[in-house]
Amino acid sequence: MKKEREDILMKTAKLVLGIISMVLCLFVIFQSCAAGVSNTLEESGEVSGTAGLMVAICMLAAGIIGVVTRNSNGGGAFTSGGFYLLAAILGFTNAGSYTDLNIWAGVCVAFGLVFIIGTLVERKRKQN
């Protein structure tokens, strides 16, 4: 009974995080467009706006993959976690003057760890 509850909880968490990620993607896109315009007008040579768009695309992909594969115990969760961690790397390394990108990258790290560690814990529990 306890294992069934934990399975339902993890599937629900993957669903919720995927939906939150898809919604946050819109905010990141709008902020990134503004940052890109600012970078262009200032002629600063920064790429934080473009990096923000890439982070948003990775968040969207990870969210969709996470929602679609929430019931499986296969590579879908690892793929989703990989996209989140890729988004985090892009965000942290290219934030520049778009400092909110560090926040979105931190969110991506947290979501990615939930997907990866949660799947590893599920696999270990099913083996026992």
Side-chain angles (χ1 to χ4, degrees):
M1 186 72 161
K2 182 178 178 183
K3 289 182 180 181
E4 291 175 13
R5 242 184 303 150
E6 291 172 355
D7 284 341
I8 292 171
L9 180 64
M10 193 61 210
K11 290 176 185 178
T12 305
K14 289 178 181 179
L15 176 67
V16 169
L17 290 180
I19 292 171
I20 289 172
S21 177
M22 288 184 266
V23 172
L24 285 179
C25 166
L26 297 173
F27 292 112
V28 176
I29 286 174
F30 289 132
Q31 284 185 341
S32 298
C33 289
V37 168
S38 173
N39 290 340
T40 302
L41 292 176
E42 292 176 358
E43 296 180 359
S44 63
E46 291 183 359
V47 292
S48 56
T50 305
L53 288 174
M54 297 303 295
V55 167
I57 290 168
C58 286
M59 286 177 74
L60 180 62
I64 291 171
I65 293 168
V67 168
V68 170
T69 62
R70 71 184 181 277
N71 293 326
S72 68
N73 197 17
F78 289 116
T79 303
S80 183
F83 270 109
Y84 280 124
L85 295 180
L86 174 65
I89 291 169
L90 287 170
F92 283 134
T93 58
N94 296 308
S97 62
Y98 177 26
T99 55
D100 286 357
L101 197 54
N102 288 321
I103 295 170
W104 302 126
V107 168
C108 288
V109 167
F111 286 8
L113 290 177
V114 167
F115 271 86
I116 292 171
I117 293 173
T119 303
L120 291 174
V121 168
E122 274 184 286
R123 283 186 178 182
K124 184 159 182 109
R125 190 181 59 235
K126 286 185 179 182
Q127 286 178 352
N128 294 335

